[in-house]
Amino acid sequence: MLPRRLDIGMPRTNAARSGSLVNLRPRVNTASLRRHSAVLPSVLTFAVIVASGGLLLMIEKGMLNHMDTPPPRGTGVRSDFIRNTRKQDPNVDTESQIVQEIRNRTICTMCGQKNMPHSIWTLPPVQRRTVLQHILVSDKHKFLYCYVPKVACSNWKRVVKVLNGALENVDVKIKMDHKNDLVFLADLKPEEIKYRLKTYFKFMFVRDPMERLLSAYRNKFGEIEAYQKRYGVEIIKRYRKNPGKTNGDDVTFAEFLHYLLDEDVEKMNEHWMPIYNLCQPCAVTYDFIGSYERLHQDAQHVLQQIGAPAHIQFPERQTWYKPVTTQTLHYYLCNIPQRLLRDLLPKYILDFSLYTYPFPNTTSAFCRH
């Protein structure tokens, strides 16, 4: 077995070591928010504060100054990391606004550290190439979108094609071509890239890290033969006792996670590469980071920000799409070796911490239910 690495360079947290993962997702009483005129955090908001507070405290106290962080070692401190271009929209609920502020504060504080990258030009070539290949360009509407696989990126690409005039409408029943009729920052010259990064509206969407991994696992190893042959066969041979002859179509979730644990982050397939590595939020000043959990509301906000025509709406899910429910995620996580999960979580620690997602609850008491 290959040596296990924490490729993002972050230390393993006490929570990850102990296995005492706390469920920070209580039920939210949104009606209570509407009844009160004062802007008060809900239970969920309080949970998000708790989830990110530990990391913020470590950063603000300088406790991470002597720890390795994601390469490269940039120079200078950028104070204007997140530009607050978002207007207070009365249609956006209070809870969402607070979560956005906490998320922005967490990212700003983390990325303000001197040993974090502050520009794509200070990134190593491999990391810079990855992020440039994942940022879509619309010169017509002056925006940049960093796509993250398994976070509604196919539908966003449909929207981009419609906005750029390459597709008639978002509901056209054709197989999505993920390359043609799309322009990426990687296609442009350095000066053209710098200009667009400085002046265009930049956004991305994020998702609970474990939910995203499960979605990728079910889709790629349950439905896509090319992935079964390219990855599935090797995973089974590497991690299963007496694998025998296999087509790679019966990879277990535990075997998949074992593979991720041993894989070099920078060499990962984009469908399970950490979001941090795909979009580099410290090197790119995103104006808005939307959530998969409130996809249509946040997508509508983005469409308003970029001045999209009113008739262009974010498309509904495809009828064949099989969503990952909370119950499904809990079932998979509760039925894998818990040490495996604890070892893997630090590899995605920045996706949990920067985007304010709590660690999954897999305690024995919780899993019994």
Side-chain angles (χ1 to χ4, degrees):
M1 183 178 292
L2 300 175
R4 294 175 178 175
R5 301 174 51 197
L6 183 56
D7 299 286
I8 57 172
M10 292 297 292
R12 300 191 177 196
T13 63
N14 290 333
R17 286 197 195 98
S18 66
S20 300
L21 305 180
V22 180
N23 181 19
L24 296 177
R25 291 190 176 186
R27 294 181 179 178
V28 181
N29 185 354
T30 54
S32 176
L33 275 175
R34 299 189 185 98
R35 287 196 301 266
H36 291 81
S37 58
V39 180
L40 296 175
S42 68
V43 176
L44 176 60
T45 301
F46 177 77
V48 172
I49 295 173
V50 173
S52 59
L55 179 66
L56 284 171
L57 180 62
M58 293 176 68
I59 295 169
E60 292 170 351
K61 294 293 184 180
M63 295 171 66
L64 297 182
N65 289 346
H66 303 293
M67 298 181 182
D68 292 333
T69 49
R73 298 182 179 278
T75 57
V77 176
R78 184 178 56 188
S79 59
D80 61 341
F81 173 70
I82 295 288
R83 286 183 294 153
N84 187 15
T85 61
R86 183 179 186 181
K87 297 179 180 179
Q88 294 299 318
D89 187 345
N91 296 320
V92 178
D93 61 88
T94 301
E95 186 170 298
S96 175
Q97 292 177 357
I98 297 175
V99 170
Q100 277 289 322
E101 289 303 314
I102 294 172
R103 180 178 288 166
N104 288 348
R105 179 189 172 211
T106 305
I107 294 175
C108 186
T109 305
M110 183 69 173
C111 295
Q113 300 301 296
K114 63 180 181 181
N115 51 356
M116 297 296 284
H118 299 105
S119 165
I120 63 168
W121 309 110
T122 61
L123 293 170
V126 172
Q127 294 183 17
R128 181 165 62 249
R129 181 167 60 250
T130 295
V131 66
L132 292 180
Q133 289 174 343
H134 282 82
I135 296 182
L136 287 159
V137 180
S138 174
D139 287 326
K140 182 177 180 180
H141 290 274
K142 291 182 169 44
F143 71 79
L144 303 177
Y145 159 57
C146 184
Y147 80 88
V148 178
K150 310 312 297 181
V151 190
C153 73
S154 294
N155 277 345
W156 267 116
K157 288 176 181 178
R158 284 178 177 271
V159 172
V160 173
K161 287 189 176 187
V162 172
L163 288 171
N164 289 344
L167 197 64
E168 184 178 351
N169 63 72
V170 296
D171 298 317
V172 174
K173 304 298 182 182
I174 60 172
K175 182 177 176 60
M176 170 55 61
D177 188 318
H178 292 271
K179 297 298 180 183
N180 290 338
D181 298 320
L182 293 171
V183 178
F184 300 84
L185 276 185
D187 301 325
L188 306 180
K189 298 177 182 179
E191 289 304 316
E192 296 173 328
I193 294 173
K194 291 178 182 178
Y195 171 77
R196 285 159 178 79
L197 284 173
K198 183 178 181 180
T199 61
Y200 282 17
F201 180 83
K202 297 170 287 295
F203 70 96
M204 59 182 285
F205 274 72
V206 297
R207 185 178 187 178
D208 180 287
M210 295 310 301
E211 183 179 304
R212 176 173 171 254
L213 290 181
L214 179 56
S215 177
Y217 162 76
R218 296 174 73 192
N219 173 237
K220 301 308 176 185
F221 296 106
E223 303 172 7
I224 312 298
E225 185 177 356
Y227 276 77
Q228 295 167 359
K229 291 182 176 179
R230 181 176 180 181
Y231 296 99
V233 172
E234 178 60 29
I235 290 173
I236 291 173
K237 288 181 178 179
R238 191 187 300 185
Y239 300 106
R240 184 178 302 177
K241 295 180 179 179
N242 305 317
K245 187 177 181 180
T246 177
N247 295 322
D249 59 351
D250 61 340
V251 176
T252 68
F253 191 51
E255 290 169 341
F256 174 57
L257 297 188
H258 267 294
Y259 165 73
L260 296 181
L261 185 61
D262 293 331
E263 187 73 355
D264 185 334
V265 165
E266 292 184 2
K267 296 179 181 178
M268 281 185 175
N269 180 280
E270 63 176 6
H271 290 85
W272 41 81
M273 181 181 285
I275 298 173
Y276 175 89
N277 296 78
L278 291 173
C279 294
Q280 294 289 345
C282 289
V284 178
T285 59
Y286 291 99
D287 300 296
F288 182 77
I289 299 178
S291 300
Y292 184 83
E293 294 75 21
R294 43 178 295 114
L295 176 61
H296 283 272
Q297 298 97 315
D298 285 353
Q300 183 61 30
H301 171 76
V302 170
L303 291 174
Q304 292 175 353
Q305 289 291 312
I306 64 177
H311 69 275
I312 298 180
Q313 298 293 316
F314 194 79
E316 298 293 331
R317 286 174 175 169
Q318 301 294 328
T319 55
W320 49 262
Y321 179 75
K322 299 177 182 178
V324 175
T325 65
T326 301
Q327 292 76 13
T328 303
L329 180 61
H330 287 165
Y331 172 81
Y332 275 90
L333 293 181
C334 287
N335 284 280
I336 60 173
Q338 293 307 294
R339 182 174 180 178
L340 172 62
L341 179 60
R342 292 195 300 269
D343 288 345
L344 180 65
L345 288 178
K347 206 160 195 174
Y348 292 85
I349 187 67
L350 290 179
D351 285 0
F352 281 102
S353 299
L354 294 182
Y355 310 124
T356 62
Y357 286 108
F359 281 176
N361 182 0
T362 55
T363 59
S364 298
F366 182 80
C367 286
R368 280 199 297 269
H369 297 285

